[in-house]
Amino acid sequence: MNLLLREIDFKQLFQLEEAEGGFDQFTRSYNTFGVHRLPDNRLFFKEWAPAAEALFLTGDFNGWDKFAHPYTKKEFGKWELILPPKHDKSPAVDHNTKLKVVVHTKEGERLYRISPWAKYVTREEKSVIYDWVHWDPPQPYIQIHPRPKKPTSLRIYEAHVGIASPEGKIASYTNFTNNVLPRIKDLGYNCIQLMAIMEHAYYASFGYQITSFFAASSRYGTPEELKQLLDAAHSMGIVVLLDVVHSHASKNTEDGLNAFDGSDSCFFHSPPRGEHKLWDSRLFNYSSWEVLRFLLSNLRWWMEEYRFDGFRFDGITSMLYHHHGIGSGFSGDYSEYFGLQVDEDSLVYLMLANHILHTLYPDCITVAEDVSGMPALCRGVEEGGLGFDYRLAMAIPDKWIQILKELKDEDWDMGNIVHTLTNRRYGEKCIAYAESHDQALVGDKSLAFWLMDKEMYTNMSSTSPLTPIIDRGLQLHKMIRLLTHALGGEGYLNFIGNEFGHPEWLDFPREGNNQSYHYARRQFNLVAMDHLRYCQLYAFDRDMNRTEDKYGWLAAAPAFISATHQEDKVIVFDRANVLFIFNFHPSKSFQGYRVAVEVPGKYKIKLDSDEAQYGGHGRLDHNTEFFTEAQPFKGRSNSMQVNISFDSSKHNFLLQNVQTVHLFLVY
């Protein structure tokens, strides 16, 4: 089937060459659709509304006259309008003024719509409907810093601009640029995944009910301020991915794509195929030439206009299958991935998108959110794959939450944990994470909250005695994240605030919470308080990333696992010449514990999570040297003995070999 899809993909590319002069021009259709100022200051408007009887343009510029400026009907459902400049030769529509498309249907209805290609939409304070605002600033922001090179080890900071402040309000692009970017840089992340940037009328949708696909959300500021944010990130060597939602669209009509031309289809399949019942949203018709134009141009727009470095594609599972993943457990049997239940049109669209993006931008990064485990998702299109660079390892956070919810410490299954962390197809890169925004949302708990719960409100001060719950929570928070970082994939992701064990869930203002912003924020102020233990978790997360940056285990081949000892609760593996030893035993110490190593030499401690700065107990002597013995063990050429002597809490440390081999011990 994959070979067939590859043929279909190249057939589509050939058709683009024949009909549109190639995909370069086709994917720049944002230069002709919507509104554009020509060199002589005439304004050119173009829309696709195949079911419409007539189109008119109205707005501030003509006193909202509904009939003064009709579009001219063209072939293939296209409509065009040219507005001559004013007497003073300035454009007929001023920058930052409102517009509407008036659609007359064959049934005699008159509909008011926002252009699907609108670059900026805003909402009046007391209104629920967004307005199309003509964005043509006299002094647009010019980005000056080049895109950084594609990182070999991808360390992603998943972020939401609106919650990126301790204050109970919607934070701004400028706040993110000035206050959050330096923090991300300090933490050692080299990639930001920005959520909820594409405009969405309902803030509490977390950005997943898109209404205007070409508009950067105005609730955080202007398009120019977003461009400045990306420029600043690039100046720090940080790449930025857009969380793009092409799997579905909001059902809104007046300020969304739905029923743009008055029909129940246009950009979407007609119901029932064109409706997602669980998400209450519309589903794109990926077989439509104009839908391909719209979506592929949308990707190109964000790359060109804002200079994003790639995309995290949301809801891929829903796209891949006609059943959208609803009621499907995905056991891994190949019959689940190849059959009539697979949506061929969606697959071809994703192959086209990845082929075009990686051809035009060789350093572009694409990440797929897929829970089904579709084979070849992260193999090249030329191989018959879908062309993504990475897939999210979505089973890993589910496993950690399950363990914390259902098992006592002494019942943790080391083999099951390792299996979950390593259960991925060789040659298809994964982004590992212990928790993302999904685990932070109200109704669930972050890892820190699962571990420490209400004691986070009363016992996180370092001026008071360390309680058993806080001690266990701090140590396991570090161990879970490091084990995931080192073993779970070829990239790592953290959700904003979770690096320091954010004490509360995430809940956007809505009717159910009296429109409160109390939980729609990140309390970075807690990290600044030296007497609180949040700064200790922050410091460990920072040094964990910096250590990976030095030794590069994410870019290395999968780990060699030499031990998963269930009784001892010990996990041992090496990756990128770094040896990791995890002891999850809640009470047992070990003397002269033999561990396998490949390269002989002398090892020294480099990173120790038991240090006081990380919330540990400072029990390890950093002057200790560890020597290997020429004694094969557990499939490795050499071995060494280490003393693991500690009380019921857990800690970890890293040793460096003088011959550039590194040992990472985690207790």
Side-chain angles (χ1 to χ4, degrees):
M1 182 176 178
N2 277 16
L3 291 176
L4 174 62
L5 287 172
R6 183 174 64 177
E7 290 181 15
I8 295 172
D9 176 57
F10 288 130
K11 180 181 177 182
Q12 285 274 30
L13 288 173
F14 177 76
Q15 290 174 343
L16 287 177
E17 293 287 344
E18 289 286 300
E20 300 281 348
F23 63 73
D24 181 55
Q25 184 173 330
F26 185 67
T27 57
R28 290 183 186 269
S29 292
Y30 51 78
N31 286 331
T32 52
F33 282 78
V35 55
H36 300 279
R37 178 160 53 90
L38 302 178
D40 60 1
N41 276 351
R42 289 182 301 158
L43 293 177
F44 176 72
F45 295 80
K46 186 175 183 178
E47 301 294 347
W48 177 63
E53 182 69 21
L55 255 62
F56 296 85
L57 184 71
T58 188
D60 291 329
F61 79 101
N62 67 1
W64 294 96
D65 188 318
K66 296 182 284 292
F67 304 106
H69 294 91
Y71 285 73
T72 301
K73 188 174 184 178
K74 302 293 183 179
E75 60 181 352
F76 306 120
K78 312 290 176 49
W79 300 82
E80 295 180 359
L81 167 64
I82 294 179
L83 290 183
K86 300 176 185 175
H87 293 300
D88 63 2
K89 304 301 182 184
S90 64
V93 180
D94 293 334
H95 165 62
N96 215 21
T97 60
K98 295 178 183 178
L99 293 167
K100 283 279 189 183
V101 176
V102 185
V103 178
H104 285 252
T105 71
K106 292 180 172 64
E107 292 75 28
E109 292 181 285
R110 184 188 303 159
L111 309 173
Y112 294 88
R113 297 289 187 255
I114 288 177
S115 169
W117 303 79
K119 310 300 192 297
Y120 190 55
V121 297
T122 63
R123 182 179 63 85
E124 297 289 343
E125 185 175 349
K126 294 183 179 180
S127 174
V128 295
I129 303 298
Y130 274 75
D131 296 305
W132 176 18
V133 174
H134 180 52
W135 191 257
D136 187 17
Q139 294 181 317
Y141 182 82
I142 305 298
Q143 294 169 307
I144 60 174
H145 295 101
R147 288 190 176 100
K149 290 188 177 297
K150 183 177 181 177
T152 54
S153 291
L154 201 62
R155 301 182 298 273
I156 303 174
Y157 195 84
E158 183 185 34
H160 185 291
V161 170
I163 68 170
S165 164
E167 299 179 67
K169 64 177 186 180
I170 298 176
S172 66
Y173 293 125
T174 300
N175 166 74
F176 198 94
T177 302
N178 295 337
N179 299 319
V180 184
L181 282 181
R183 183 184 302 274
I184 295 171
K185 177 66 175 177
D186 177 62
L187 282 164
Y189 292 95
N190 54 23
C191 176
I192 301 169
Q193 182 177 299
L194 277 185
M195 307 176 63
I197 295 298
M198 301 168 74
E199 191 60 271
H200 48 292
Y202 185 43
Y203 189 42
S205 75
F206 219 155
Y208 292 119
Q209 291 280 348
I210 305 300
T211 45
S212 290
F213 283 73
F214 285 82
S217 181
S218 60
R219 55 174 55 88
Y220 319 126
T222 68
E224 310 312 302
E225 289 164 343
L226 176 57
K227 293 175 186 177
Q228 188 174 12
L229 188 162
L230 268 82
D231 203 23
H234 288 166
S235 75
M236 299 176 181
I238 299 172
V239 298
V240 187
L241 308 183
L242 176 70
D243 197 346
V244 70
V245 186
H246 282 183
S247 50
H248 65 130
S250 167
K251 289 179 73 173
N252 287 20
T253 54
E254 285 193 60
D255 55 6
L257 283 183
N258 192 20
F260 173 68
D261 63 356
S263 72
D264 65 359
S265 53
C266 198
F267 289 93
F268 311 108
H269 288 290
S270 296
R273 185 179 178 186
E275 293 180 332
H276 197 297
K277 297 191 183 303
L278 286 186
W279 295 347
D280 193 30
S281 55
R282 297 302 313 268
L283 298 173
F284 287 104
N285 178 3
Y286 302 103
S287 66
S288 165
W289 190 264
E290 293 303 322
V291 171
L292 289 179
R293 180 195 305 279
F294 182 79
L295 294 177
L296 292 172
S297 295
N298 188 235
L299 297 174
R300 191 79 187 274
W301 165 258
W302 293 106
M303 294 292 290
E304 289 289 331
E305 183 71 11
Y306 291 96
R307 296 185 62 77
F308 277 92
D309 303 286
F311 303 95
R312 179 261 198 190
F313 282 75
D314 178 71
I316 292 297
T317 307
S318 176
M319 297 176 68
L320 293 177
Y321 309 97
H322 292 297
H323 54 62
H324 310 301
I326 301 171
S328 299
F330 295 109
S331 65
D333 189 285
Y334 275 77
S335 65
E336 298 168 344
Y337 308 119
F338 304 103
L340 296 178
Q341 73 275 21
V342 177
D343 190 328
E344 188 178 284
D345 295 332
S346 297
L347 261 70
V348 171
Y349 165 68
L350 292 171
M351 294 172 75
L352 275 173
N354 276 303
H355 174 76
I356 290 170
L357 284 170
H358 289 99
T359 300
L360 294 171
Y361 313 98
D363 279 347
C364 177
I365 301 167
T366 58
V367 180
E369 186 213 26
D370 169 43
V371 299
S372 75
M374 169 64 77
L377 189 71
C378 299
R379 299 300 300 181
V381 174
E382 68 280 359
E383 299 176 333
L386 272 70
F388 287 97
D389 296 292
Y390 299 89
R391 72 192 317 151
L392 292 173
M394 302 182 72
I396 295 175
D398 291 342
K399 175 57 64 175
W400 287 124
I401 295 299
Q402 180 213 344
I403 289 171
L404 294 176
K405 285 175 66 174
E406 300 177 3
L407 300 176
K408 298 177 182 179
D409 289 11
E410 57 267 28
D411 295 330
W412 286 23
D413 186 330
M414 299 295 102
N416 185 253
I417 291 172
V418 168
H419 172 74
T420 301
L421 287 165
T422 57
N423 184 23
R424 57 188 185 271
R425 290 187 178 86
Y426 184 81
E428 293 197 54
K429 295 180 180 179
C430 288
I431 302 294
Y433 58 104
E435 52 185 338
S436 69
H437 69 270
D438 288 326
Q439 288 72 41
L441 287 170
V442 64
D444 204 339
K445 293 181 181 180
S446 66
L447 284 180
F449 227 50
W450 277 113
L451 289 163
M452 295 175 278
D453 207 69
K454 61 184 180 181
E455 284 207 21
M456 297 189 76
Y457 295 113
T458 57
N459 296 320
M460 283 295 278
S461 173
S462 57
T463 61
S464 61
L466 191 63
T467 68
I469 287 178
I470 295 297
D471 192 9
R472 170 184 177 271
L474 292 177
Q475 313 319 326
L476 282 176
H477 192 272
K478 291 178 286 185
M479 292 181 69
I480 288 170
R481 300 173 86 76
L482 181 58
L483 182 59
T484 301
H485 202 303
L487 191 59
E490 290 69 38
Y492 177 76
L493 179 142
N494 165 69
F495 178 64
I496 181 172
N498 286 354
E499 69 276 4
F500 62 85
H502 198 277
E504 292 175 337
W505 55 91
L506 182 63
D507 189 14
F508 287 89
R510 53 189 173 85
E511 287 186 14
N513 63 15
N514 295 318
Q515 303 297 331
S516 172
Y517 285 89
H518 180 75
Y519 296 108
R521 61 194 179 112
R522 297 283 92 176
Q523 299 180 64
F524 293 122
N525 53 301
L526 297 175
V527 180
M529 300 180 187
D530 293 340
H531 69 283
L532 296 181
R533 302 185 188 277
Y534 297 104
C535 64
Q536 298 168 346
L537 294 178
Y538 177 100
F540 182 77
D541 195 271
R542 176 196 64 207
D543 291 351
M544 175 177 67
N545 282 321
R546 291 181 178 181
T547 304
E548 194 289 326
D549 188 58
K550 183 175 182 180
Y551 302 127
W553 58 74
L554 288 172
F560 181 93
I561 301 162
S562 55
T564 53
H565 200 294
Q566 178 60 18
E567 183 178 344
D568 293 344
K569 294 289 186 286
V570 169
I571 298 171
V572 183
F573 61 90
D574 57 86
R575 189 177 184 189
N577 290 333
V578 180
L579 181 67
F580 297 82
I581 306 173
F582 289 75
N583 184 350
F584 282 96
H585 204 287
S587 60
K588 192 173 182 180
S589 302
F590 301 99
Q591 297 293 323
Y593 200 89
R594 185 166 295 278
V595 295
V597 294
E598 183 59 31
V599 180
K602 180 174 69 175
Y603 293 74
K604 293 182 67 68
I605 296 174
K606 295 298 293 181
L607 178 67
D608 172 13
S609 76
D610 194 45
E611 286 188 83
Q613 64 170 318
Y614 305 138
H617 300 271
R619 292 168 293 200
L620 298 179
D621 181 1
H622 285 217
N623 294 316
T624 302
E625 295 177 339
F626 297 81
F627 295 88
T628 60
E629 303 172 43
Q631 180 176 335
F633 188 64
K634 300 286 187 180
R636 303 315 254 170
S637 303
N638 299 280
S639 59
M640 60 192 297
Q641 288 185 317
V642 295
N643 292 332
I644 309 175
S645 179
F646 60 98
D647 61 19
S648 60
S649 62
K650 305 162 178 67
H651 56 276
N652 49 66
F653 62 93
L654 177 142
L655 304 178
Q656 181 183 12
N657 179 279
V658 294
Q659 300 177 9
T660 70
V661 179
H662 314 288
L663 170 63
F664 209 65
L665 292 180
V666 182
Y667 292 74

PDB file of all heavy atoms in Angstrom, residues 215-239:
ATOM      1  N   ALA A 215      -4.263  33.583  10.405  1.00  0.00           N
ATOM      2  CA  ALA A 215      -4.161  34.683  11.360  1.00  0.00           C
ATOM      3  C   ALA A 215      -3.479  34.223  12.643  1.00  0.00           C
ATOM      4  O   ALA A 215      -3.909  33.249  13.265  1.00  0.00           O
ATOM      5  CB  ALA A 215      -5.545  35.245  11.667  1.00  0.00           C
ATOM      6  N   ALA A 216      -2.423  34.937  13.042  1.00  0.00           N
ATOM      7  CA  ALA A 216      -1.830  34.721  14.354  1.00  0.00           C
ATOM      8  C   ALA A 216      -2.756  35.318  15.401  1.00  0.00           C
ATOM      9  O   ALA A 216      -3.269  36.428  15.229  1.00  0.00           O
ATOM     10  CB  ALA A 216      -0.453  35.371  14.424  1.00  0.00           C
ATOM     11  N   SER A 217      -2.985  34.604  16.473  1.00  0.00           N
ATOM     12  CA  SER A 217      -3.987  35.021  17.454  1.00  0.00           C
ATOM     13  C   SER A 217      -3.743  36.445  17.952  1.00  0.00           C
ATOM     14  O   SER A 217      -2.663  36.770  18.463  1.00  0.00           O
ATOM     15  CB  SER A 217      -4.002  34.064  18.642  1.00  0.00           C
ATOM     16  OG  SER A 217      -4.987  34.459  19.566  1.00  0.00           O
ATOM     17  N   SER A 218      -4.759  37.267  17.821  1.00  0.00           N
ATOM     18  CA  SER A 218      -4.651  38.674  18.219  1.00  0.00           C
ATOM     19  C   SER A 218      -4.784  38.853  19.718  1.00  0.00           C
ATOM     20  O   SER A 218      -4.501  39.941  20.230  1.00  0.00           O
ATOM     21  CB  SER A 218      -5.727  39.496  17.506  1.00  0.00           C
ATOM     22  OG  SER A 218      -7.024  39.027  17.839  1.00  0.00           O
ATOM     23  N   ARG A 219      -5.206  37.816  20.435  1.00  0.00           N
ATOM     24  CA  ARG A 219      -5.378  37.977  21.885  1.00  0.00           C
ATOM     25  C   ARG A 219      -4.043  38.176  22.578  1.00  0.00           C
ATOM     26  O   ARG A 219      -3.994  38.681  23.708  1.00  0.00           O
ATOM     27  CB  ARG A 219      -6.130  36.788  22.498  1.00  0.00           C
ATOM     28  CG  ARG A 219      -5.514  35.443  22.213  1.00  0.00           C
ATOM     29  CD  ARG A 219      -6.206  34.312  22.969  1.00  0.00           C
ATOM     30  NE  ARG A 219      -7.631  34.224  22.761  1.00  0.00           N
ATOM     31  CZ  ARG A 219      -8.226  33.551  21.786  1.00  0.00           C
ATOM     32  NH1 ARG A 219      -7.469  32.938  20.881  1.00  0.00           N
ATOM     33  NH2 ARG A 219      -9.538  33.495  21.693  1.00  0.00           N
ATOM     34  N   TYR A 220      -2.930  37.798  21.935  1.00  0.00           N
ATOM     35  CA  TYR A 220      -1.603  37.973  22.533  1.00  0.00           C
ATOM     36  C   TYR A 220      -0.874  39.210  22.003  1.00  0.00           C
ATOM     37  O   TYR A 220       0.182  39.562  22.523  1.00  0.00           O
ATOM     38  CB  TYR A 220      -0.709  36.756  22.264  1.00  0.00           C
ATOM     39  CG  TYR A 220      -1.384  35.426  22.393  1.00  0.00           C
ATOM     40  CD1 TYR A 220      -1.346  34.502  21.348  1.00  0.00           C
ATOM     41  CD2 TYR A 220      -2.051  35.060  23.553  1.00  0.00           C
ATOM     42  CE1 TYR A 220      -1.956  33.265  21.456  1.00  0.00           C
ATOM     43  CE2 TYR A 220      -2.668  33.818  23.663  1.00  0.00           C
ATOM     44  CZ  TYR A 220      -2.618  32.931  22.610  1.00  0.00           C
ATOM     45  OH  TYR A 220      -3.228  31.705  22.721  1.00  0.00           O
ATOM     46  N   GLY A 221      -1.394  39.828  20.943  1.00  0.00           N
ATOM     47  CA  GLY A 221      -0.718  40.975  20.355  1.00  0.00           C
ATOM     48  C   GLY A 221      -0.841  40.977  18.843  1.00  0.00           C
ATOM     49  O   GLY A 221      -1.719  40.336  18.272  1.00  0.00           O
ATOM     50  N   THR A 222       0.048  41.681  18.179  1.00  0.00           N
ATOM     51  CA  THR A 222      -0.015  41.860  16.732  1.00  0.00           C
ATOM     52  C   THR A 222       0.861  40.851  16.002  1.00  0.00           C
ATOM     53  O   THR A 222       1.757  40.242  16.599  1.00  0.00           O
ATOM     54  CB  THR A 222       0.452  43.273  16.352  1.00  0.00           C
ATOM     55  OG1 THR A 222       1.866  43.381  16.625  1.00  0.00           O
ATOM     56  CG2 THR A 222      -0.310  44.344  17.124  1.00  0.00           C
ATOM     57  N   PRO A 223       0.643  40.678  14.702  1.00  0.00           N
ATOM     58  CA  PRO A 223       1.539  39.814  13.917  1.00  0.00           C
ATOM     59  C   PRO A 223       2.996  40.251  14.002  1.00  0.00           C
ATOM     60  O   PRO A 223       3.900  39.399  14.027  1.00  0.00           O
ATOM     61  CB  PRO A 223       0.986  39.961  12.490  1.00  0.00           C
ATOM     62  CG  PRO A 223      -0.449  40.284  12.667  1.00  0.00           C
ATOM     63  CD  PRO A 223      -0.512  41.140  13.894  1.00  0.00           C
ATOM     64  N   GLU A 224       3.224  41.548  14.068  1.00  0.00           N
ATOM     65  CA  GLU A 224       4.611  42.031  14.116  1.00  0.00           C
ATOM     66  C   GLU A 224       5.286  41.611  15.421  1.00  0.00           C
ATOM     67  O   GLU A 224       6.493  41.330  15.443  1.00  0.00           O
ATOM     68  CB  GLU A 224       4.637  43.557  13.971  1.00  0.00           C
ATOM     69  CG  GLU A 224       3.830  44.088  12.796  1.00  0.00           C
ATOM     70  CD  GLU A 224       4.094  43.364  11.491  1.00  0.00           C
ATOM     71  OE1 GLU A 224       5.254  43.331  11.056  1.00  0.00           O
ATOM     72  OE2 GLU A 224       3.132  42.816  10.900  1.00  0.00           O
ATOM     73  N   GLU A 225       4.525  41.559  16.495  1.00  0.00           N
ATOM     74  CA  GLU A 225       5.099  41.153  17.779  1.00  0.00           C
ATOM     75  C   GLU A 225       5.408  39.659  17.799  1.00  0.00           C
ATOM     76  O   GLU A 225       6.376  39.226  18.436  1.00  0.00           O
ATOM     77  CB  GLU A 225       4.146  41.541  18.915  1.00  0.00           C
ATOM     78  CG  GLU A 225       4.106  43.038  19.148  1.00  0.00           C
ATOM     79  CD  GLU A 225       2.916  43.507  19.969  1.00  0.00           C
ATOM     80  OE1 GLU A 225       1.931  42.734  20.105  1.00  0.00           O
ATOM     81  OE2 GLU A 225       2.951  44.656  20.463  1.00  0.00           O
ATOM     82  N   LEU A 226       4.624  38.863  17.085  1.00  0.00           N
ATOM     83  CA  LEU A 226       4.961  37.441  16.952  1.00  0.00           C
ATOM     84  C   LEU A 226       6.230  37.267  16.128  1.00  0.00           C
ATOM     85  O   LEU A 226       7.085  36.434  16.449  1.00  0.00           O
ATOM     86  CB  LEU A 226       3.803  36.668  16.322  1.00  0.00           C
ATOM     87  CG  LEU A 226       4.063  35.179  16.033  1.00  0.00           C
ATOM     88  CD1 LEU A 226       4.461  34.424  17.294  1.00  0.00           C
ATOM     89  CD2 LEU A 226       2.848  34.524  15.378  1.00  0.00           C
ATOM     90  N   LYS A 227       6.360  38.043  15.071  1.00  0.00           N
ATOM     91  CA  LYS A 227       7.586  37.983  14.266  1.00  0.00           C
ATOM     92  C   LYS A 227       8.809  38.346  15.107  1.00  0.00           C
ATOM     93  O   LYS A 227       9.871  37.722  14.983  1.00  0.00           O
ATOM     94  CB  LYS A 227       7.474  38.934  13.073  1.00  0.00           C
ATOM     95  CG  LYS A 227       6.431  38.525  12.046  1.00  0.00           C
ATOM     96  CD  LYS A 227       6.285  39.581  10.959  1.00  0.00           C
ATOM     97  CE  LYS A 227       5.144  39.236  10.007  1.00  0.00           C
ATOM     98  NZ  LYS A 227       4.931  40.286   8.983  1.00  0.00           N
ATOM     99  N   GLN A 228       8.648  39.325  15.966  1.00  0.00           N
ATOM    100  CA  GLN A 228       9.742  39.725  16.841  1.00  0.00           C
ATOM    101  C   GLN A 228      10.104  38.593  17.805  1.00  0.00           C
ATOM    102  O   GLN A 228      11.282  38.365  18.103  1.00  0.00           O
ATOM    103  CB  GLN A 228       9.355  40.983  17.617  1.00  0.00           C
ATOM    104  CG  GLN A 228      10.493  41.592  18.421  1.00  0.00           C
ATOM    105  CD  GLN A 228      10.103  42.905  19.059  1.00  0.00           C
ATOM    106  OE1 GLN A 228       8.927  43.267  19.097  1.00  0.00           O
ATOM    107  NE2 GLN A 228      11.081  43.638  19.562  1.00  0.00           N
ATOM    108  N   LEU A 229       9.090  37.874  18.293  1.00  0.00           N
ATOM    109  CA  LEU A 229       9.332  36.739  19.189  1.00  0.00           C
ATOM    110  C   LEU A 229      10.191  35.686  18.492  1.00  0.00           C
ATOM    111  O   LEU A 229      11.179  35.203  19.061  1.00  0.00           O
ATOM    112  CB  LEU A 229       7.981  36.144  19.611  1.00  0.00           C
ATOM    113  CG  LEU A 229       7.921  35.055  20.683  1.00  0.00           C
ATOM    114  CD1 LEU A 229       6.497  34.946  21.236  1.00  0.00           C
ATOM    115  CD2 LEU A 229       8.360  33.685  20.180  1.00  0.00           C
ATOM    116  N   LEU A 230       9.821  35.332  17.271  1.00  0.00           N
ATOM    117  CA  LEU A 230      10.594  34.316  16.549  1.00  0.00           C
ATOM    118  C   LEU A 230      12.000  34.805  16.224  1.00  0.00           C
ATOM    119  O   LEU A 230      12.962  34.031  16.297  1.00  0.00           O
ATOM    120  CB  LEU A 230       9.867  33.895  15.268  1.00  0.00           C
ATOM    121  CG  LEU A 230       8.942  32.680  15.447  1.00  0.00           C
ATOM    122  CD1 LEU A 230       7.601  33.082  16.019  1.00  0.00           C
ATOM    123  CD2 LEU A 230       8.768  31.917  14.164  1.00  0.00           C
ATOM    124  N   ASP A 231      12.110  36.069  15.887  1.00  0.00           N
ATOM    125  CA  ASP A 231      13.424  36.630  15.589  1.00  0.00           C
ATOM    126  C   ASP A 231      14.328  36.555  16.817  1.00  0.00           C
ATOM    127  O   ASP A 231      15.513  36.217  16.719  1.00  0.00           O
ATOM    128  CB  ASP A 231      13.263  38.076  15.119  1.00  0.00           C
ATOM    129  CG  ASP A 231      14.433  38.562  14.281  1.00  0.00           C
ATOM    130  OD1 ASP A 231      15.144  37.713  13.686  1.00  0.00           O
ATOM    131  OD2 ASP A 231      14.644  39.785  14.202  1.00  0.00           O
ATOM    132  N   ALA A 232      13.768  36.865  17.982  1.00  0.00           N
ATOM    133  CA  ALA A 232      14.542  36.801  19.220  1.00  0.00           C
ATOM    134  C   ALA A 232      14.945  35.366  19.542  1.00  0.00           C
ATOM    135  O   ALA A 232      16.078  35.105  19.979  1.00  0.00           O
ATOM    136  CB  ALA A 232      13.733  37.401  20.369  1.00  0.00           C
ATOM    137  N   ALA A 233      14.028  34.422  19.327  1.00  0.00           N
ATOM    138  CA  ALA A 233      14.361  33.014  19.555  1.00  0.00           C
ATOM    139  C   ALA A 233      15.500  32.575  18.648  1.00  0.00           C
ATOM    140  O   ALA A 233      16.437  31.891  19.080  1.00  0.00           O
ATOM    141  CB  ALA A 233      13.121  32.143  19.334  1.00  0.00           C
ATOM    142  N   HIS A 234      15.425  32.966  17.382  1.00  0.00           N
ATOM    143  CA  HIS A 234      16.483  32.605  16.438  1.00  0.00           C
ATOM    144  C   HIS A 234      17.817  33.211  16.844  1.00  0.00           C
ATOM    145  O   HIS A 234      18.871  32.597  16.655  1.00  0.00           O
ATOM    146  CB  HIS A 234      16.093  33.057  15.030  1.00  0.00           C
ATOM    147  CG  HIS A 234      14.992  32.234  14.437  1.00  0.00           C
ATOM    148  ND1 HIS A 234      14.282  32.625  13.318  1.00  0.00           N
ATOM    149  CD2 HIS A 234      14.463  31.032  14.792  1.00  0.00           C
ATOM    150  CE1 HIS A 234      13.380  31.704  13.022  1.00  0.00           C
ATOM    151  NE2 HIS A 234      13.475  30.728  13.915  1.00  0.00           N
ATOM    152  N   SER A 235      17.784  34.418  17.402  1.00  0.00           N
ATOM    153  CA  SER A 235      19.036  35.056  17.846  1.00  0.00           C
ATOM    154  C   SER A 235      19.687  34.274  18.978  1.00  0.00           C
ATOM    155  O   SER A 235      20.890  34.382  19.206  1.00  0.00           O
ATOM    156  CB  SER A 235      18.762  36.493  18.292  1.00  0.00           C
ATOM    157  OG  SER A 235      18.121  36.530  19.562  1.00  0.00           O
ATOM    158  N   MET A 236      18.891  33.476  19.706  1.00  0.00           N
ATOM    159  CA  MET A 236      19.398  32.648  20.805  1.00  0.00           C
ATOM    160  C   MET A 236      19.759  31.238  20.347  1.00  0.00           C
ATOM    161  O   MET A 236      20.115  30.392  21.163  1.00  0.00           O
ATOM    162  CB  MET A 236      18.342  32.555  21.914  1.00  0.00           C
ATOM    163  CG  MET A 236      17.962  33.874  22.535  1.00  0.00           C
ATOM    164  SD  MET A 236      16.629  33.649  23.757  1.00  0.00           S
ATOM    165  CE  MET A 236      16.364  35.351  24.288  1.00  0.00           C
ATOM    166  N   GLY A 237      19.598  30.962  19.045  1.00  0.00           N
ATOM    167  CA  GLY A 237      19.886  29.633  18.526  1.00  0.00           C
ATOM    168  C   GLY A 237      18.780  28.641  18.767  1.00  0.00           C
ATOM    169  O   GLY A 237      18.998  27.421  18.720  1.00  0.00           O
ATOM    170  N   ILE A 238      17.570  29.130  19.019  1.00  0.00           N
ATOM    171  CA  ILE A 238      16.426  28.270  19.321  1.00  0.00           C
ATOM    172  C   ILE A 238      15.503  28.204  18.105  1.00  0.00           C
ATOM    173  O   ILE A 238      15.109  29.242  17.568  1.00  0.00           O
ATOM    174  CB  ILE A 238      15.639  28.803  20.536  1.00  0.00           C
ATOM    175  CG1 ILE A 238      16.535  28.841  21.782  1.00  0.00           C
ATOM    176  CG2 ILE A 238      14.404  27.959  20.803  1.00  0.00           C
ATOM    177  CD1 ILE A 238      15.899  29.536  22.971  1.00  0.00           C
ATOM    178  N   VAL A 239      15.159  26.999  17.672  1.00  0.00           N
ATOM    179  CA  VAL A 239      14.191  26.836  16.587  1.00  0.00           C
ATOM    180  C   VAL A 239      12.784  26.822  17.182  1.00  0.00           C
ATOM    181  O   VAL A 239      12.592  26.481  18.351  1.00  0.00           O
ATOM    182  CB  VAL A 239      14.451  25.554  15.765  1.00  0.00           C
ATOM    183  CG1 VAL A 239      15.817  25.605  15.106  1.00  0.00           C
ATOM    184  CG2 VAL A 239      14.315  24.311  16.630  1.00  0.00           C
TER     185      VAL A 239
END
